[in-house]
Amino acid sequence: MPNETQPLVYVVVLNWNSAEETLKCVASLQRSDYGNFRIIVIDNGSRDGSVEILSRAKGIELVCNAENLGFSGGCNVGIKAGLVGGAQYIWLVNSDTSVAPDCLTKLVHFAESRPNMGLASPLIRYASHPDRIQFCGSMLDRESHDMDPVDLAQARRIQSEQPELMLLWGTALLVHRRLVELIGYLDEGLFAYFEDMDYSMRSIAAGFRNVMVFDAEILHDNPIDQGIRKPHYYYYMTRNKIVMRKRYIRSFTERWRTLWWDFNRLRGELLTRNKPQEVVEATLDGLWDGLIGTRGSFDNRRRMPLLARRFLMPGRRYHNIIS
């Protein structure tokens, strides 16, 4: 029976064409020692039979989106369900994670002891190398405006001395209800990637604190060596980083100086590294869409103008559509 003396937590797991992976994550959540939580799985427009598989699972609420709403849009469906259901906290958990039984208990206990907490994350370890830390916090660098992950010693120092600089990943993000009620939902225009950094920034701007709970842990199946990913990854990472620059760097001069630095670094990487053609083109399209303010999902029919591509990448051939 649920322990109703504990705050109600809605655990939101987003599924996209990965039902078996999602069920493994759900199984780890169901071993949690926390006494008052519900699991809601959001299927994000899967086309691989995931809905049929997940509909047979016990102990979850299944919500099916008609189309892929991206990480932001899919998670927002779960967040809204949590608010309607009376949750005090919503825990966004990636489907490729395995959660320690005491993780949620430690997260909520830590959050309850800090009245100004908006977001909290456990320590994230590599599933393939549990002795190695994948994420323990990111720091907002006020000089370079980067949002780079830090090591454990740095993370502890930042949390203690400069908590207003702590940014968190969305891999296992505990969100307080009052934060959502004040600042709203994840930015669906970003669609995927950097939506967690954006939410962390908005949390800080609203006067909340983002915290790492260092004794709570999950395992994440993201391999150490990512290799080459699908084109949409490079598109979103490029576009959304530019969006973040434009959104949070207040000085016009500093904003465009930083964007110019990003542009030259990106151009250098594309010229010197032997990346597949579809990756190059997706990156260029992300650069263009970031500059002109295009939001939403990746559409490989929408291209950077040919003259701009030829200027950036002389001597390469370009396709009209990425296959």
Side-chain angles (χ1 to χ4, degrees), residues 16-67:
W16 186 54
N17 296 325
S18 57
E20 296 301 331
E21 180 179 72
T22 296
L23 289 175
K24 291 179 182 178
C25 174
V26 167
S28 73
L29 288 166
Q30 290 174 334
R31 293 190 289 271
S32 173
D33 61 14
Y34 189 73
N36 193 19
F37 70 98
R38 300 173 187 170
I39 301 172
I40 178 168
V41 174
I42 311 296
D43 183 77
N44 218 9
S46 295
R47 297 291 183 266
D48 68 339
S50 282
V51 172
E52 181 182 357
I53 296 171
L54 293 171
S55 65
R56 298 194 295 265
K58 296 180 180 180
I60 68 170
E61 177 185 348
L62 178 63
V63 175
C64 300
N65 296 333
E67 59 182 315

Side-chain angles (χ1 to χ4, degrees), residues 1-216:
M1 293 293 292
N3 182 354
E4 296 183 357
T5 64
Q6 295 177 304
L8 174 62
V9 179
Y10 263 57
V11 185
V12 176
V13 182
L14 191 62
N15 178 78
W16 186 54
N17 296 325
S18 57
E20 296 301 331
E21 180 179 72
T22 296
L23 289 175
K24 291 179 182 178
C25 174
V26 167
S28 73
L29 288 166
Q30 290 174 334
R31 293 190 289 271
S32 173
D33 61 14
Y34 189 73
N36 193 19
F37 70 98
R38 300 173 187 170
I39 301 172
I40 178 168
V41 174
I42 311 296
D43 183 77
N44 218 9
S46 295
R47 297 291 183 266
D48 68 339
S50 282
V51 172
E52 181 182 357
I53 296 171
L54 293 171
S55 65
R56 298 194 295 265
K58 296 180 180 180
I60 68 170
E61 177 185 348
L62 178 63
V63 175
C64 300
N65 296 333
E67 59 182 315
N68 183 0
L69 303 179
F71 183 85
S72 301
C75 286
N76 282 346
V77 171
I79 294 172
K80 292 172 184 176
L83 296 186
V84 171
Q88 190 67 18
Y89 296 95
I90 296 95
W91 194 22
L92 307 178
V93 178
N94 276 18
S95 62
D96 57 354
T97 61
S98 178
V99 177
D102 61 356
C103 184
L104 182 55
T105 297
K106 290 179 176 178
L107 284 173
V108 174
H109 177 75
F110 194 93
E112 287 288 284
S113 68
R114 285 158 176 78
N116 64 342
M117 190 227 77
L119 303 171
S121 171
L123 197 69
I124 302 173
R125 294 186 178 276
Y126 289 101
S128 57
H129 295 75
D131 59 318
R132 298 187 62 175
I133 295 173
Q134 185 184 50
F135 180 79
C136 57
S138 287
M139 182 185 74
L140 173 64
D141 189 319
R142 286 174 171 164
E143 292 187 4
S144 68
H145 304 285
D146 280 332
M147 294 160 276
D148 295 327
V150 294
D151 63 31
L152 188 57
Q154 289 174 310
R156 292 185 185 278
R157 180 186 58 78
I158 293 166
Q159 185 145 301
S160 173
E161 301 174 8
Q162 297 175 292
E164 72 281 2
L165 301 182
M166 180 66 80
L167 308 177
L168 303 178
W169 278 5
T171 309
L173 191 63
L174 187 73
V175 184
H176 200 292
R177 179 189 187 96
R178 62 176 174 247
L179 178 68
V180 184
E181 292 174 338
L182 186 62
I183 72 171
Y185 302 94
L186 298 173
D187 183 352
E188 296 185 14
L190 295 174
F191 198 80
Y193 303 107
F194 280 101
E195 73 291 314
D196 45 10
M197 296 290 105
D198 176 68
Y199 211 54
S200 293
M201 297 279 283
R202 289 159 57 194
S203 170
I204 292 169
F208 292 90
R209 287 290 176 260
N210 309 320
V211 297
M212 286 295 307
V213 183
F214 296 109
D215 63 342

Side-chain angles (χ1 to χ4, degrees), residues 244-260:
M244 294 290 285
R245 300 290 204 200
K246 293 165 65 178
R247 180 173 294 174
Y248 290 108
I249 301 177
R250 301 304 180 189
S251 164
F252 179 86
T253 301
E254 183 65 16
R255 180 189 309 162
W256 287 103
R257 185 193 68 80
T258 306
L259 286 172
W260 180 249

